[in-house]
Amino acid sequence: MCTLQEHILNDILGERHGYKIKDRDRGAEIIQERCCRKKVLLVLDDVNDVMQLEFLAATREWFGPGSRIIITTRDQHLLSYADEKYKPATLSGDRAVELFSRHAFNERSPPDGYEDLSFRAIHHAGGLPLALEVLGSFFRGRKANVWESALQRLAKTQDNKIFRTLKLSFDDLGDSEQNIFLDIACFYKGKDVDEVTRILDSFGFDPDIGISVLVEKSLITISSNNKLDMHDLIQEMGRKEVQASSPNSRLWEPEKFNGLINFKKLESVEGIVLPREEIKESLNANVFESMKNLRLLDCYQNFTSGEPTFLPDQLRWFCWNHYPFSSLPIADMSKLVGLEMEWGKIEHLWKGKKVVYSLRNPISTYLAYITRAPNIESLHLRKCYNLVEVDESVGSLKKLLYLDIHFCNKLKCFPSMLQMESLKSLNLSWCWSLKRIPEFSPCMVNLSKLDISYSKEIEELPWSIKLLSNLIDLNVKECDSLKNIPNSIWELKCLKTFNLTNCGKLQKLPDDLQIMESLEELHIDTIHFHAFTNFCYLRKIYLDGPYFFLDFKDNDFPKNLHGLSSLEELYITFNHKLIQLPESISHLSSLKHLWIQACNGLETLHGLPPGIQHFGVKGCYSLQSIEDLSKEYECLNNIQISICPKLLEYEENGRYLDKMLDQSFLKKRAAVDGCLTLLIPGRNVPSWFKEQQDGRKIALKLPPNWQTEIIGFAVCCVTTMPMFPDIKMRFENDEMLVSKSEANYINETEEADWNVWTGYLPYSLFEQFHGGNDNDFEGEDWFHMTQGRVVFEVYCPIDSEYKHAVRCGANVVYKEDVASIQQTTPSISSFDWSWKLTKEFTNSFKCTTY
């Protein structure tokens, strides 16, 4: 409750106030005192307890005149004092039939012989879209007699009709899938799929197939950022199933943890996942003696009052953040698979010489007090500040997959030879005291990543590095003492990425690097760049200057770049004495991305490659001359020019910048169904944006049958952030009003770098989602709306207060707007998309520039 009160205060009054509420009664008083004169729009979602209303928004007098409080709940009695009540319409008729049929038959309507069964099933769903999806997925591929049996079972139970409908799919799962579903419902909603898969696999639940089954049955979803998700109703159904069938088998609520103090029968406890907060009263140190079936423990800090005396033999996954004791009571735990401890004070992983047979997942993250690494089968140690020695036998662990020992700045002794045939990744970065990299055995064929960056005492790489036949990524960045890279490195036939930035003592690179056909991405200093100018296979170069102590001159920059015939991306940073780019850069026909940052000596930018698509220049304080980018480069659709103050001192540059803000520049991109994102100096939204509004939100009314009339949306904002913002979009099918945001005005006399950002989003971006194989988009209201509105919210990813977006504009772009434009530019197939589109909620999308 206190956290929610903090969110309300900080969202209304600004993060700068930084409210920290410790008592909910005091929090309620502060909300009344500070918000009683504020006109606010407050949305309280999924309220299920009258206490939430009493401490967050008890009466309308808590807020200023004209405020609106919107409450969503499944308990109607909580709205007894509401001015108005609204029950969202459920799906009916053809729309319900279509949604159900898409999940049951992958068709828009039921096939012959299934019409009556489908209508009976739809009736049981009560028009709830979630139930239609889950029920349709349940019946998919089943014969008519199975339909009949299931429908009869549903008809027998009228109470909790929706839960019974959802539970039908749960009951149909196998034991393993049911366990996976219940673990996700209780513990892992919103967690990373790969991380959860590793944990579930340790329990023998076969999560790879199990998770896919749950997705197919519409019980869970996987978001675009690889997170597990499920509808609140489905999660509630799962948790009620746990409470009904096996109480206390899974514990996730803080009050249940507090109740453990008085539990006498704990044999049923299988899993404990404690929120990242301390429980009110620590448990007894011997509490685990009764938990014979505990397989999962994820707790925090002072979970027990003293060092545990016993851990169950069935324990598979152990995670105890901020472990406050010096050792672990681990005996012969042959079933333990995962051991994770962040910022623990542990000195020994266990007392005495013990063996953990199956340990194969990340171990002991941030164990700051370990002084010796034990002989175990898998090892992940980070920030082990007192770790001095790694046992020689570690180098012979045959099943080791990941060896991660970075930020161990006292580590001096490491195995002299590595003979780990399963090892995939070795990370020894930030090991400041380590002077030698081990030799590699011929059996090390699975190692794909080697990182020794910031290990400042390493002087050379071993000759045996050539034996790493499948090495893909090699990072030696900031190895200050590195003097030699062996000639044998050219034998790494699979190497794709090589980072050797800021290796100050590296005098010479191997001559044979030029023949490494697999090398695509190179991070390098200007001083070593000459060795790669004839490298015809390179696709991406990060060219870094040695920051603020640069000693090379402009004429040290290579003039002849013709040999880089395959180069597609070039990033130049911190080259302070570079005055202009070489003329030969214009002949790099494959170059599409050029980014220049913090090159304070750069004065002119002319003669870019004709096929350039993405161009950015930032923090170049001497830049005083650019060319007309709006005229010469037909493929250019992503432009950023920021923090270059001298540009505005010259009138001609101002005219060139204004041309890029002209409506005709955007229309040329729209005519070929291309994207556009543009950030340049400026203070005003161009006048051709018909809809303009202070703040960061703006809405556009969509015309009737808009899907056939428009080709995209143009959006604009004025901001002080020198970076591309993200856009949140929401399609609405009603007349909901978009509140006029309080303008975060910045005084005109304030010295700030003002920027105008303009973006164009083709409607085809959304069409490709709806027409593709992503079931999340099937049946979406936005695609079927005949009219409505679209709401845009502009924000910067690092801008929690949104104070930098002060004014917005938006336009609908119609087909007729671009009909007269002669399409001389390449078709969209030749362009790289500038937008990444992800779904957030129903009818809501997030558009990210990249």
Side-chain angles (χ1 to χ4, degrees):
M1 188 66 67
C2 294
T3 301
L4 291 174
Q5 291 173 330
E6 291 173 4
H7 282 314
I8 289 176
L9 288 167
N10 291 331
D11 286 347
I12 293 175
L13 304 175
E15 293 283 352
R16 62 187 180 277
H17 292 278
Y19 283 100
K20 298 295 181 183
I21 307 298
K22 301 299 182 183
D23 178 78
R24 62 185 184 180
D25 293 302
R26 178 54 184 155
E29 293 175 3
I30 296 175
I31 292 176
Q32 297 178 63
E33 293 170 359
R34 298 303 312 275
C35 300
C36 61
R37 297 181 190 79
K38 294 282 186 179
K39 182 179 178 181
V40 305
L41 172 63
L42 177 63
V43 180
L44 301 176
D45 187 35
D46 197 22
V47 175
N48 55 24
D49 190 336
V50 68
M51 297 289 286
Q52 294 171 328
L53 296 178
E54 290 182 4
F55 289 101
L56 299 177
T59 70
R60 63 175 62 85
E61 283 71 27
W62 283 24
F63 306 98
S67 294
R68 297 290 184 269
I69 303 172
I70 299 174
I71 301 168
T72 68
T73 180
R74 294 196 295 274
D75 297 327
Q76 186 173 342
H77 73 276
L78 295 178
L79 303 178
S80 56
Y81 295 104
D83 295 325
E84 295 183 20
K85 300 177 184 178
Y86 171 73
K87 185 176 182 179
T90 55
L91 292 182
S92 60
D94 293 342
R95 296 180 67 190
V97 171
E98 180 177 351
L99 180 58
F100 176 83
S101 298
R102 284 190 179 277
H103 287 272
F105 312 109
N106 201 26
E107 302 286 347
R108 300 190 65 173
S109 59
D112 294 341
Y114 283 85
E115 295 93 339
D116 180 63
L117 291 170
S118 296
F119 289 129
R120 288 167 59 190
I122 292 169
H123 171 73
H124 282 290
L128 185 68
L130 172 67
L132 289 167
E133 292 179 12
V134 173
L135 204 54
S137 298
F138 169 77
F139 283 122
R140 183 170 54 231
R142 298 183 185 272
K143 295 182 179 180
N145 63 323
V146 178
W147 283 59
E148 187 66 46
S149 175
L151 291 172
Q152 289 178 8
R153 192 196 322 172
L154 286 175
K156 294 177 182 178
T157 305
Q158 295 302 320
D159 297 333
N160 288 326
K161 188 174 182 180
I162 294 301
F163 276 176
R164 177 60 60 182
T165 301
L166 299 177
K167 192 173 181 297
L168 187 68
S169 284
F170 172 78
D171 292 337
D172 189 57
L173 298 172
D175 290 343
S176 182
E177 286 84 7
Q178 285 189 351
N179 277 311
I180 292 173
F181 172 79
L182 294 177
D183 274 2
I184 293 173
C186 295
F187 304 139
Y188 297 126
K189 178 182 176 182
K191 301 297 183 181
D192 182 80
V193 174
D194 296 332
E195 177 185 350
V196 175
T197 298
R198 287 196 299 271
I199 298 173
L200 295 174
D201 184 51
S202 72
F203 308 141
F205 289 166
D206 298 319
D208 289 324
I209 182 64
I211 288 176
S212 66
V213 169
L214 297 180
V215 171
E216 290 171 1
K217 291 184 175 293
S218 298
L219 291 173
I220 66 173
T221 59
I222 298 177
S223 66
S224 58
N225 58 348
N226 207 40
K227 303 293 185 182
L228 286 168
D229 199 6
M230 62 170 50
H231 195 280
D232 289 344
L233 278 175
I234 293 178
Q235 183 181 36
E236 186 176 346
M237 179 269 290
R239 290 184 168 184
K240 284 188 174 182
E241 176 65 20
V242 170
Q243 294 164 351
S245 61
S246 52
N248 302 321
S249 63
R250 294 170 174 85
L251 301 174
W252 66 90
E253 298 171 305
E255 53 267 27
K256 288 291 183 68
F257 288 105
N258 296 324
L260 276 174
I261 300 172
N262 299 316
F263 282 179
K264 294 182 179 180
K265 295 183 179 180
L266 301 174
E267 292 87 351
S268 63
V269 178
E270 295 180 26
I272 297 176
V273 176
L274 183 69
R276 291 297 182 260
E277 58 188 54
E278 293 187 72
I279 57 175
K280 294 180 180 178
E281 187 173 349
S282 299
L283 308 182
N284 291 329
N286 61 354
V287 70
F288 299 113
E289 292 183 5
S290 300
M291 299 182 185
K292 304 299 184 182
N293 295 306
L294 186 68
R295 56 181 168 84
L296 167 65
L297 177 63
D298 187 344
C299 57
Y300 179 81
Q301 206 158 330
N302 295 311
F303 183 67
T304 58
S305 57
E307 183 177 314
T309 59
F310 170 84
L311 289 176
D313 293 339
Q314 296 297 316
L315 194 62
R316 306 290 185 90
W317 199 273
F318 180 98
C319 179
W320 195 326
N321 293 318
H322 290 259
Y323 185 75
F325 312 114
S326 62
S327 63
L328 285 174
I330 297 180
D332 296 327
M333 298 191 64
S334 59
K335 294 183 179 180
L336 188 65
V337 172
L339 176 58
E340 299 181 3
M341 305 174 77
E342 295 186 1
W343 296 106
K345 293 184 178 180
I346 193 167
E347 296 176 0
H348 310 282
L349 277 179
W350 44 79
K351 295 179 179 178
K353 187 176 181 181
K354 305 297 180 183
V355 178
V356 182
Y357 297 100
S358 60
L359 207 58
R360 66 176 184 269
N361 280 296
I363 298 172
S364 309
T365 305
Y366 300 112
L367 295 180
Y369 290 87
I370 287 182
T371 57
R372 289 294 186 272
N375 182 19
I376 55 180
E377 291 188 2
S378 183
L379 186 60
H380 282 232
L381 301 174
R382 299 171 186 170
K383 293 189 177 180
C384 301
Y385 297 123
N386 292 326
L387 182 66
V388 177
E389 178 183 358
V390 172
D391 192 271
E392 187 74 26
S393 61
V394 171
S396 301
L397 296 175
K398 302 299 182 184
K399 296 182 180 180
L400 198 67
L401 296 176
Y402 304 98
L403 182 54
D404 190 346
I405 314 185
H406 79 264
F407 264 114
C408 298
N409 50 23
K410 291 185 180 179
L411 179 65
K412 293 183 178 180
C413 300
F414 196 74
S416 57
M417 169 69 76
L418 298 186
Q419 304 177 70
M420 297 178 284
E421 58 192 35
S422 299
L423 193 67
K424 294 181 178 180
S425 175
L426 173 60
N427 189 346
L428 294 172
S429 61
W430 297 91
C431 293
W432 294 342
S433 301
L434 190 65
K435 294 186 176 182
R436 180 181 53 81
I437 298 299
E439 297 289 347
F440 299 103
S441 164
C443 72
M444 300 280 291
V445 294
N446 287 308
L447 191 68
S448 61
K449 183 175 182 179
L450 174 59
D451 187 352
I452 62 170
S453 59
Y454 298 94
S455 294
K456 298 180 179 299
E457 296 296 320
I458 299 295
E459 295 186 359
E460 62 180 5
L461 298 178
W463 71 271
S464 57
I465 195 172
K466 69 177 183 178
L467 301 176
L468 305 178
S469 56
N470 287 296
L471 190 66
I472 295 174
D473 188 338
L474 175 59
N475 189 353
V476 299
K477 179 179 181 179
E478 299 278 356
C479 289
D480 293 345
S481 300
L482 186 66
K483 299 177 181 179
N484 177 49
I485 293 179
N487 289 327
S488 61
I489 198 172
W490 71 269
E491 298 185 44
L492 298 178
K493 302 299 184 183
C494 294
L495 191 66
K496 290 185 178 180
T497 302
F498 189 14
N499 190 334
L500 44 81
T501 305
N502 289 338
C503 297
K505 293 186 179 180
L506 186 63
Q507 299 298 320
K508 187 176 183 296
L509 295 175
D511 297 330
D512 291 332
L513 286 176
Q514 304 283 355
I515 62 175
M516 297 180 68
E517 297 184 12
S518 61
L519 191 61
E520 296 180 357
E521 180 176 328
L522 178 68
H523 300 247
I524 195 170
D525 299 328
T526 306
I527 193 172
H528 295 121
F529 187 31
H530 292 272
F532 290 90
T533 53
N534 290 318
F535 210 131
C536 61
Y537 304 110
L538 275 178
R539 295 175 179 264
K540 185 184 298 187
I541 294 179
Y542 290 83
L543 185 57
D544 297 331
Y547 302 100
F548 301 105
F549 45 86
L550 187 67
D551 58 1
F552 75 90
K553 300 178 180 178
D554 180 45
N555 56 14
D556 289 330
F557 196 96
K559 295 294 188 293
N560 187 357
L561 302 179
H562 293 83
L564 299 170
S565 57
S566 299
L567 192 64
E568 297 177 355
E569 301 180 34
L570 176 58
Y571 302 84
I572 308 174
T573 59
F574 292 98
N575 290 326
H576 301 304
K577 295 185 179 179
L578 179 67
I579 298 174
Q580 62 182 7
L581 295 176
E583 183 274 336
S584 59
I585 200 170
S586 64
H587 301 291
L588 298 181
S589 58
S590 298
L591 192 66
K592 295 179 174 63
H593 301 251
L594 176 60
W595 175 256
I596 305 173
Q597 181 173 355
C599 296
N600 289 336
L602 188 67
E603 296 179 357
T604 64
L605 270 175
H606 297 275
L608 302 180
I612 195 75
Q613 295 181 7
H614 295 217
F615 170 70
V617 56
K618 179 179 180 180
C620 296
Y621 289 90
S622 298
L623 184 62
Q624 53 189 315
S625 176
I626 60 171
E627 58 185 316
D628 188 352
L629 298 175
S630 68
K631 179 180 179 182
E632 300 295 335
Y633 304 100
E634 299 291 350
C635 299
L636 191 56
N637 64 348
N638 185 306
I639 307 170
Q640 178 177 349
I641 302 174
S642 59
I643 318 181
C644 299
K646 272 200 171 183
L647 275 181
L648 301 180
E649 297 177 5
Y650 298 89
E651 184 177 343
E652 187 177 34
N653 295 327
R655 289 197 302 269
Y656 292 158
L657 294 174
D658 288 342
K659 284 185 178 183
M660 287 185 282
L661 289 176
D662 192 83
Q663 189 176 15
S664 61
F665 184 65
L666 182 142
K667 284 183 177 181
K668 284 198 299 184
R669 272 59 190 165
V672 293
D673 201 27
C675 293
L676 176 67
T677 182
L678 168 70
L679 182 76
I680 62 174
R683 286 177 175 262
N684 300 303
V685 174
S687 59
W688 59 268
F689 279 92
K690 297 178 182 178
E691 296 291 336
Q692 297 194 23
Q693 182 171 300
D694 291 329
R696 59 186 174 89
K697 290 184 180 179
I698 195 164
L700 283 176
K701 187 170 180 60
L702 299 172
N705 301 315
W706 57 278
Q707 293 94 336
T708 61
E709 300 295 327
I710 74 170
I711 60 171
F713 306 99
V715 189
C716 183
C717 79
V718 178
T719 174
T720 58
M721 290 297 290
M723 62 186 299
F724 290 136
D726 293 343
I727 303 291
K728 289 185 179 180
M729 297 179 61
R730 184 175 72 255
F731 290 93
E732 296 181 348
N733 195 24
D734 50 37
E735 294 300 321
M736 288 180 59
L737 295 177
V738 179
S739 62
K740 290 193 174 183
S741 306
E742 292 186 18
N744 297 303
Y745 289 111
I746 300 176
N747 193 297
E748 290 290 334
T749 61
E750 180 183 349
E751 291 187 8
D753 290 315
W754 288 74
N755 302 284
V756 177
W757 173 85
T758 302
Y760 174 71
L761 295 88
Y763 181 59
S764 56
L765 272 176
F766 306 94
E767 286 184 312
Q768 69 181 1
F769 274 95
H770 187 276
N773 296 322
D774 191 337
N775 289 330
D776 285 348
F777 290 83
E778 290 183 0
E780 290 285 6
D781 291 340
W782 66 271
F783 192 78
H784 301 282
M785 293 189 309
T786 56
Q787 60 184 357
R789 66 177 65 229
V790 58
V791 181
F792 300 93
E793 179 180 353
V794 182
Y795 71 103
C796 293
I798 62 172
D799 178 18
S800 59
E801 297 182 38
Y802 305 110
K803 64 183 180 181
H804 297 291
V806 299
R807 188 168 178 80
C808 288
N811 256 15
V812 174
V813 181
Y814 295 93
K815 292 180 180 179
E816 62 184 28
D817 292 333
V818 301
S820 61
I821 296 178
Q822 186 177 1
Q823 298 187 15
T824 59
T825 56
S827 64
I828 189 61
S829 61
S830 300
F831 283 95
D832 288 338
W833 287 107
S834 297
W835 294 101
K836 177 183 179 182
L837 185 66
T838 55
K839 182 183 176 184
E840 288 203 315
F841 308 104
T842 302
N843 300 343
S844 177
F845 303 90
K846 179 181 178 181
C847 308
T848 305
T849 308
Y850 64 94

